[in-house]
Each structure stands twice: as structure tokens, then as C-alpha cells.
Amino acid sequence: MELSFKVLAAVQIGWIAAAVWRFVKRSDEVPLLASAMVAYFGSYRYFTVLMGWNEWGNITNLGFSDVTNETALAALQAMVLGESVFLAAYFAFQKQAFLPVRFSLATAFARQVRGQAFTAALVLLPLTYLVNAIVAGKLASGLSMAFGISAYLYLFPLILSSVAVVLVILWRYGNLPSGDRWFAMAMVGIIFYTTYGVSGRFKFLSWLIAGTVILSASHSAARRLGFMAAVSAGILAMFAVAGAKRGEAYYMEGMALEAAWARFQTAEDANMLDGMVFVQQVIPSRLPFRYGGEHLEILYRPIPRAWWPNKPVTAYMLKISGMDQERGATLGISPSLFGSFYVEGGLVGVVLGSFIYAYVIARLFSIAAPLHPFASLLVRCLVCASLVPLLRGGDLPGVYAWLVMAFWPLLLLLLFKRKQLSKTSSWFLQTPVADATVATGRFRRRSRGALTVAPALTRFRG
């Protein structure tokens, strides 16, 4: 049964409303982030073309057919189906609620992490500039990013994301001396300058989202909603400006802001719906379903091509266009995470993939809730930061490589400090701590409308 655009748009708006309600009740960021993002590159992208603000992507020169409103509507139905399964399953499995996070890192731990974070920033920042220069030189010599340059090399600068997250946590909860706070802010500013650019714009987008979660975590859900909305608007504006720098209009006198606004208004950077159409054009009519191969590739993608010169090229767009190592091109329009699920098994793959991912993410948030506030906050910001490139989708093994390179230091921190980060640990808490709490039950309303937690709060004291 084919649904109209109005029905699909209403479904996506309904999910946003449900996500806002859940955020106010439980301060859970995942549904809000997921529903808003999928609506933007789903229904809103379709709307911009209907209004004549933009046109569908055209890559007929690469062997694909034109995108029409009808094919885009079919792609939107698959996308909304995946979104609905994902959010419904997440609502069902994630039962925890989060109160405002108020804690202070213990002096000894804050001093230890501060030294490590400052040292990492001072070492990695110049090293990043060196690596970027090496990559630029290889590209200038005619090598392609896909085949001629090691991913370990051009993804290396992503490690600055972990450094930025730790610096933000230290600035907010580390009780740093004034001089150290200013130094941490300066380092975050330099990291932003280093990661902000025309290419690889998701480098800064993810850690900025993680930072927003950290900075707003001490406020009530209602205040957090306003704060996150304001900061998100600023982040999207910076993202649009970075994208607008790709066009000539940005460099015309007085046109920079107009070019950035036009890019955001027309969803120029949100062409995942177009990518979903291209996936449905060729799978399974021209290429077979992969039946889990997209995810299996995550395991062998890290093998360097220097060790495995004939490592297969599996991206559907490269196969259709005939690009290979000799022709050396990197191209693609991301079809969203739901497009990757469609590659695995059509609409059945969309349903199963959305359900499994929702369950895993819900479990991560449920596990995070009763942890020490430091660990709980770190898990939450990592999940939210990862959700952005995941939902954008595209080359799924490449997305996972991106995430691992960006956040492996934080994963190791959680692994090696897991005992100290348990809910009974006080090693990380300064004495005294006024109100460091994490909710482990559901919110309920008292007669006067105040929020409480049932059955009880897990309270942490130094």
C-alpha cells in the first residue's frame, strides 16, 4: 500500500512530538536526535523538492536513472518504516530515566586525567597538521582517497574528538583551577578550528553534539530542551556554512550568509533520500542483496589494502559505475542507515536492522543509567555522537571505522576503569557532593506536578 507524502510527513512529525514528550519525562536524548535527523533528510528533503527549492540528485552519468517524485516517495516509505520500527523498539526496550547530573571528579582523578588530556592535545594537534599535509600531498600526486591512501592515515585526526570530549568534561566537572580551565577552553577552540572545514564536516559535528550533552546534563529536562535546541541551531548553522564554502556564491561579496541559509533551507546536505532511491534502483534488480555482508565487512575492512591488494570493492555505487583501483575514484550519496539495511535484505532488512540497532542502543542507555555519573554521561554522549554518522549512513564499514578511530580512547577509559566507574564507587567523587544522582526507575508525577523517581534513586556520595 502506497502512502501519500502528507501521511508520511505526519508520521515523522508525530515521532518528533513523541520524542519531545519522552525527553521531558526521561531526559533521553536518543529519540529526539534520531527523529529530528531522519525527518530532516526524509520528509523535509522531499518537501524542498516539491516546493521547487531544490532538485533531486542526478548521477545518470554513472549508470543510474533519474530520481522522480514517485521513486522518492517509495524510498521515503522505506525510510519511515525503518524509523518507526527503530523508535518503537527503542521506546519498548529503554526503560531508564536520567536526572540532572551533578557531581565533581575527585581531585586525584581530575589531576590525572587533566595531565593526560593536556599532553594528548599538545602532541596530537601538531601531529594532525602533519598527517593532513601528508594526505594532501598524496592527493595532489594523483592518488585516490579510496585506494591510494591508508584509511589509518586520513582517519587519524579523528582522535581529536576524544580529546575534545574529555576536555569538555574536565572543564565542566573537574573543578579545575582557573588557569587550567582557560587552557582547556583554548585547546577545545583549537580542536574546533582544526576539525572544522569543508570536507569531513562530521568530524566536528559529532564531538560538538557530545559536548552539548555534557554541558546540558546538569539541568532539568525542560531547560535542557531549550539549551540543546539553541546550540543545535548554532551547530547546524556552522555545518551549513562549511558546506556553502564549496560553492562560488559563498565567496561573492555579501552572499556568504545567504548561501549558507539557502543550503540549510533546501536540505542540500541532506540528500540521503536521493541515496535511498539509488539503492532501490539497483538492488536487487542489478545487484543481489548482501544478507549481512555489509556488516560482515566491518570485520575485514580494517585490513590494509597493502596487505590485501585484491580486497574486494563492495560499495554498490562503485560497482554500478565501474570504478576500481585503476580508475581511482571516490564517490557516493549516502542512503542513510536504512539504506544500508535495505542493501542487506530489502524491506525485511530495514525492519530487522532497525529493530536490532534499537535494541542495542537501548541496552547501552539502560546499562549507562545506574553507572557512576561520569561513566553514565560518557556512554550517553558517545552514543549520541555516534548516532549522527550512523543515521547518515552510506558506507557502513567506513562509518564504523570512523567511529572507532574517533572514540577508541574513551572506550579504553571505560574498559580499564570499569570497576571504579561502578555505581558503588566513590573514587571519582569529590567530598562533599551535594546532589549527584542517577535515576534507575521511571518518572512519576506527584499531585503537585513535581517529578520523582520510582522506586528509588541511586545516590552517590564521596
Side-chain angles (χ1 to χ4, degrees):
M1 181 180 66
E2 185 171 303
L3 301 177
S4 69
F5 167 68
K6 291 183 179 180
V7 172
L8 296 173
V11 170
Q12 292 203 298
I13 293 172
W15 281 122
I16 293 176
V20 171
W21 176 85
R22 185 180 177 92
F23 185 85
V24 173
K25 297 286 288 182
R26 299 189 179 187
S27 204
D28 186 344
E29 302 93 352
V30 168
L32 190 60
L33 181 61
S35 61
M37 187 171 176
V38 179
Y40 181 63
F41 63 63
S43 292
Y44 185 75
R45 169 66 177 171
Y46 193 95
F47 177 74
T48 62
V49 176
L50 285 184
M51 295 296 294
W53 300 344
N54 209 335
E55 297 178 352
W56 298 117
N58 187 329
I59 52 174
T60 53
N61 59 312
L62 298 177
F64 292 82
S65 304
D66 286 321
V67 179
T68 66
N69 289 353
E70 290 72 26
T71 57
L73 187 63
L76 182 60
Q77 289 186 79
M79 194 174 285
V80 173
L81 172 64
E83 177 193 9
S84 299
V85 172
F86 177 88
L87 290 173
Y90 183 86
F91 282 6
F93 291 121
Q94 208 299 91
K95 301 295 186 180
Q96 305 295 336
F98 299 89
L99 284 180
V101 177
R102 300 188 182 99
F103 71 97
S104 296
L105 295 175
T107 303
F109 176 70
R111 187 183 299 116
Q112 176 186 359
V113 176
R114 176 192 61 192
Q116 294 171 346
F118 287 1
T119 300
L122 292 173
V123 171
L124 291 174
L125 278 168
L127 192 56
T128 293
Y129 282 99
L130 175 62
V131 170
N132 286 340
I134 293 173
V135 172
K138 289 180 177 292
L139 289 174
S141 68
L143 295 176
S144 73
M145 189 74 78
F147 299 104
I149 303 175
S150 171
Y152 290 100
L153 189 64
Y154 64 77
L155 291 178
F156 174 80
L158 291 172
I159 196 174
L160 291 176
S161 299
S162 286
V163 179
V165 169
V166 172
L167 289 174
V168 173
I169 290 181
L170 286 173
W171 183 88
R172 179 63 184 85
Y173 301 104
N175 281 332
L176 298 181
S178 178
D180 287 346
R181 285 173 62 87
W182 282 107
F183 185 79
M185 290 178 62
M187 288 296 100
V188 170
I190 296 173
I191 290 173
F192 173 80
Y193 177 80
T194 303
T195 57
Y196 182 76
V198 174
S199 62
R201 288 169 294 160
F202 284 87
K203 293 178 185 177
F204 76 89
L205 185 62
S206 285
W207 74 257
L208 282 180
I209 289 175
T212 303
V213 173
I214 294 168
L215 294 177
S216 65
S218 60
H219 301 300
S220 65
R223 292 187 63 184
R224 288 191 73 208
L225 188 61
F227 177 83
M228 294 178 70
V231 174
S232 296
I235 292 174
L236 289 174
M238 291 185 288
F239 191 80
V241 169
K245 288 183 177 181
R246 296 177 173 180
E248 296 180 0
Y250 179 85
Y251 299 96
M252 298 174 63
E253 184 177 356
M255 293 296 293
L257 292 179
E258 287 80 358
W261 169 249
R263 198 171 185 92
F264 173 77
Q265 182 188 28
T266 60
E268 185 69 26
D269 296 303
N271 56 3
M272 293 79 187
L273 185 60
D274 310 48
M276 188 72 165
V277 173
F278 296 136
V279 165
Q280 292 184 325
Q281 281 184 10
V282 300
I283 296 176
S285 59
R286 298 169 66 183
L287 292 174
F289 294 124
R290 298 199 63 189
Y291 298 115
E294 187 88 353
H295 286 78
L296 180 62
E297 189 180 346
I298 296 170
L299 301 179
Y300 68 78
R301 175 67 68 87
I303 301 174
R305 193 167 289 277
W307 297 358
W308 187 3
N310 296 322
K311 186 167 65 171
V313 176
T314 56
Y316 78 94
M317 194 165 284
L318 292 177
K319 285 185 174 182
I320 292 298
S321 61
M323 296 295 179
D324 54 22
Q325 186 167 353
E326 284 68 33
R327 297 180 65 180
T330 302
L331 61 128
I333 296 180
S334 299
S336 81
L337 179 62
F338 308 111
S340 295
F341 294 156
Y342 190 90
V343 170
E344 297 284 41
L347 293 180
V348 174
V350 171
V351 172
L352 289 178
S354 300
F355 183 87
I356 293 171
Y357 270 62
Y359 174 77
V360 172
I361 294 174
R363 286 294 300 154
L364 288 174
F365 255 53
S366 298
I367 292 171
L371 293 177
H372 181 286
F374 175 82
S376 176
L377 187 57
L378 195 57
V379 172
R380 288 163 61 192
C381 74
L382 282 176
V383 171
C384 291
S386 301
L387 200 58
V388 174
L390 271 176
L391 286 174
R392 174 182 177 266
D395 176 24
L396 196 58
V399 171
Y400 276 97
W402 190 101
L403 294 175
V404 171
M405 290 296 288
F407 298 122
W408 66 263
L410 300 183
L411 296 175
L412 289 182
L413 175 62
L414 289 170
L415 176 64
F416 291 136
K417 301 296 183 182
R418 60 187 181 277
K419 291 183 179 179
Q420 292 91 339
L421 291 171
S422 67
K423 64 181 180 181
T424 58
S425 171
S426 61
W427 190 61
F428 290 103
L429 287 178
Q430 191 106 341
T431 304
V433 177
D435 186 23
T437 57
V438 173
T440 59
R442 294 185 179 183
F443 281 122
R444 67 184 181 193
R445 289 192 176 276
R446 294 177 180 171
S447 57
R448 294 185 179 181
L451 288 175
T452 185
V453 173
L457 297 177
T458 301
R459 186 172 297 275
F460 300 91
R461 293 184 174 87

